[in-house]
Amino acid sequence: MLCLRGGGLARGLRALPPARLRGPRGLALALARTAGAPGARDWWAPAPGTQRGRALSLSAAAVVNSAPRPLQPYLRLMRLDKPIGTWLLYLPCTWSIGLAADPGCFPDWYMLSLFGTGAILMRGAGCTINDMWDRDFDKKVMRTANRPIAAGDISTLQSFVFLGGQLTLALSVLLCLNYYSIALGAASLLLVVTYPLMKRITFWPQLALGLTFNWGALLGWSAIKGSCDPAVCLPLYFSGVMWTMIYDTIYAHQDKKDDALIGLKSTALLFRENTKQWLSGFGVAMLGALSLAGANSGQTMPYYAAVAAAGAHLAHQIHTVDIHRPEDCWDKFTSNRTVGILLFLGIVLGNLWKEKMEETKESDDVRVEN
């Protein structure tokens, strides 16, 4: 036994650099390492497969995982750990609010924050309704089997109560708007409730989602102006619907095998190998509608540059997506946040450019008069 320990000590001493063997501390380290004392190795390097400490992370998933354990199922039910859906709901609102801003002005920051809060709440409510409708189907799909209701972490009664709370808070946000917008926002509730049923009865549930998710393209304008301008709002709404047809068809390809087995429908199952041709058509329609909305709202060069950049991004998505690889479908789906942000930045810069153009026009008029 003593010989074995002595051999281990010798190996420990040989493994340490000479500099670390000088003095009593180096000898203590060798003894501790040989004896297998925990943490001895960490004095200068982490053990293989371990970290010195928990890395600070501000990702949505990390925030949810650090929340009190009883709250985590409810936060996951709202999909707060996967905020891409909230972004895709929120961004059409920002387009509309931005287009409604006065020439030379930034969008109304209060409205942007109000709609951001509403997007979190309504996306959470929509996911809750979806999971309540689909709890039996979710159990049969690998990707959704761990959702809180399907996994039994939240009961049906608890989900009803939670849904009521989310809708109450969302209503309090809606009541901050003008009467026209309150009525318009309330009208969307029918779409929110019925959308999850569409996958049972039609191969076009993505269209129903598009009509639901892009309601903010109408609501944002009316919140600023007091009513909708059909010449701007309808093309903008249509472009958002076409955008949803693109990204949600890509998303649906993740589950197409499971959907086919359990009898659910989607555009992914309808289009099959013709998916890219259909997505290309939706992309052309989206860009055309965005151009029309820009023309009808007097947009300027930065806006059209952003439309072109968004078009290039979509073209790359459609050309490179591998519809038979769920991981690639997810990556392409989440990249659509970039498309929405590009368009919002183009709207903001285009609005600021309007003031410059108007100043130039006024100075030209003065010169002509003189």
Side-chain angles (χ1 to χ4, degrees):
M1 179 74 72
L2 183 60
C3 293
L4 288 173
R5 289 179 182 267
L9 175 59
R11 286 193 296 272
L13 290 170
R14 285 196 299 271
L16 282 171
R20 296 193 182 276
L21 287 173
R22 297 191 186 108
R25 183 174 179 84
L27 181 58
L29 277 171
L31 290 169
R33 182 176 178 182
T34 304
R41 186 195 306 265
D42 294 338
W43 190 76
W44 74 90
T50 64
Q51 296 179 349
R52 293 178 185 269
R54 179 178 294 181
L56 178 63
S57 174
L58 294 179
S59 69
V63 171
V64 170
N65 289 335
S66 64
R69 189 169 297 277
L71 289 180
Q72 290 184 21
Y74 294 95
L75 300 180
R76 291 200 304 273
L77 182 59
M78 294 179 70
R79 307 290 198 276
L80 287 186
D81 56 331
K82 297 176 181 178
I84 180 60
T86 303
W87 276 106
L88 297 176
L89 177 63
Y90 176 56
L91 285 166
C93 306
T94 69
W95 304 346
S96 190
I97 293 170
L99 285 173
D102 292 330
C105 296
F106 284 99
D108 188 317
W109 298 109
Y110 171 71
M111 283 297 174
L112 288 174
S113 61
L114 202 63
F115 273 73
T117 304
I120 293 171
L121 292 169
M122 286 307 297
R123 198 257 176 145
C127 290
T128 303
I129 293 170
N130 181 81
D131 288 7
M132 290 167 65
W133 281 118
D134 288 354
R135 59 185 180 273
D136 293 329
F137 288 114
D138 285 344
K139 295 175 183 177
K140 302 174 183 177
V141 179
M142 184 181 299
R143 188 179 59 83
T144 60
N146 63 346
R147 286 179 176 174
I149 297 178
D153 297 330
I154 298 176
S155 69
T156 302
L157 177 60
Q158 289 172 323
S159 62
F160 265 114
V161 173
F162 186 54
L163 174 62
Q166 291 175 92
L167 291 177
T168 300
L169 291 174
L171 177 62
S172 67
V173 172
L174 185 63
L175 292 177
C176 295
L177 308 180
N178 55 60
Y179 290 123
Y180 182 98
S181 299
I182 291 172
L184 184 62
S188 69
L189 193 58
L190 179 63
L191 289 170
V192 173
V193 172
T194 58
Y195 153 69
L197 297 174
M198 294 299 107
K199 66 187 77 172
R200 295 164 168 79
I201 61 177
T202 177
F203 280 101
W204 294 86
Q206 281 66 34
L207 179 59
L209 179 67
L211 296 172
T212 306
F213 248 51
N214 294 281
W215 202 257
L218 307 175
L219 195 58
W221 183 281
S222 72
I224 301 295
K225 299 290 190 181
S227 63
C228 285
D229 180 355
V232 178
C233 294
L234 291 182
L236 188 66
Y237 181 54
F238 178 78
S239 69
V241 174
M242 293 296 100
W243 184 39
T244 303
M245 292 296 299
I246 295 171
Y247 66 67
D248 204 50
T249 297
I250 293 174
Y251 181 88
H253 271 283
Q254 296 178 100
D255 300 328
K256 58 189 174 186
K257 293 181 181 178
D258 289 324
D259 287 347
L261 288 174
I262 61 181
L264 295 180
K265 301 176 176 66
S266 71
T267 48
L269 291 173
L270 179 65
F271 300 157
R272 298 182 183 274
E273 297 303 321
N274 294 322
T275 290
K276 292 191 177 185
Q277 292 90 316
W278 280 92
L279 298 186
S280 298
F282 296 143
V284 171
M286 175 189 174
L287 297 176
L290 285 171
S291 298
L292 180 59
N296 291 341
S297 60
Q299 271 296 334
T300 55
M301 185 182 69
Y303 172 82
Y304 295 105
V307 171
H313 193 290
L314 288 172
H316 179 264
Q317 272 188 62
I318 295 168
H319 178 69
T320 60
V321 65
D322 184 347
I323 59 174
H324 302 299
R325 285 184 58 234
E327 313 82 35
D328 191 52
C329 291
W330 174 257
D331 290 341
K332 297 300 191 297
F333 167 73
T334 57
S335 73
N336 278 278
R337 179 177 61 177
T338 302
V339 174
I341 292 174
L342 279 173
L343 290 171
F344 175 64
L345 292 176
I347 290 168
V348 173
L349 295 175
N351 248 16
L352 297 177
W353 192 275
K354 284 182 187 179
E355 183 180 41
K356 180 179 178 181
M357 291 184 63
E358 289 184 0
E359 290 175 353
T360 303
K361 184 178 179 181
E362 288 176 2
S363 63
D364 290 343
D365 289 343
V366 170
R367 288 175 187 173
V368 171
E369 289 176 1
N370 294 334

